[in-house]
Amino acid sequence: ATDNPRAFMILFMIYTGLRKQEIIPLQFKDIDLDNKYISVNKAVELIHNQPVIKKTKNEDNRKVPILNVIYDKLVEMKSEHNDSDYVFPNTLNNMMSDTTMKRQIEYVRNDLSKILGYDVYFTSHQLRHTYACILHKAGVDLKEAQSFTGHKTLQILLDVYTHLDEKDKQNAVDKLNHFIA
C-alpha cells in the first residue's frame, strides 16, 4: 500500500480515523513529523460535489497521533511536497471533489477484489469505525479515544464506533473471575 497512493490514503484513514471531510483539505503544514501528530483544524462541506472549507464537525481543533505504521511514508511524501500542498490532492494538485474521493476508494476496492478473488466493499466512514475499534482493542483510554476521534461525547464513541466481539466478552469474563477469586 505504501507504493500505491490510493491504497496509502485508505491506510491513512484507517490509522488516523479522520473523516472524509477532514482528509480532503489536509495539507502537509498540518502534519508535525517531529512530534508525530496531525493537526485537524479544518474540514470541507461538499456542495454540488465541490469542497468548501469550514470548521471541523464539532468546531474543535484536535491532534491525532501519527502511528509508526504510516510515519515513514508520510516523511517520504512530505519531503516531495511544499508545506502548503494537499496530502491527498486531485490530479491538478487541488482538493479532491466528493466524486474524486469516492473514485479513489472504488479503485482500491476493485484492486482488493481482484487480489482476493471476491467483492470487497467499504466506505470512508467504515474506515473511521475501524480506527475507533483499533483504539478500543489497543486499550486506549476512552477520553483519549474521544480526543483522537473528535467525538463530542463519549456516548457517541461507545454506541456507534466500538464493536465488541467474542474475545472482548471472554476478556470481561476473565477479569470478573480474577476479581472474584
Side-chain angles (χ1 to χ4, degrees), residues 6 11 35 47 49 76 80 82 87 91-92 96 99 104 113 121 129-130 144 163 168:
R6 291 178 181 139
L11 280 183
N35 295 304
I47 301 172
N49 192 37
E76 177 188 320
E80 298 169 357
N82 297 324
V87 177
T91 55
L92 301 174
M96 288 187 282
T99 301
Q104 299 295 323
S113 294
Y121 182 81
H129 278 257
T130 301
E144 285 298 323
H163 309 285
D168 293 314

Side-chain angles (χ1 to χ4, degrees), residues 13-15 17 122-137 161 163:
M13 293 172 79
I14 289 171
Y15 293 120
F122 57 85
T123 65
S124 61
H125 200 70
Q126 287 170 323
L127 302 175
R128 187 165 158 73
H129 278 257
T130 301
Y131 179 69
C133 290
I134 289 169
L135 294 174
H136 171 72
K137 298 279 188 194
Y161 290 95
H163 309 285

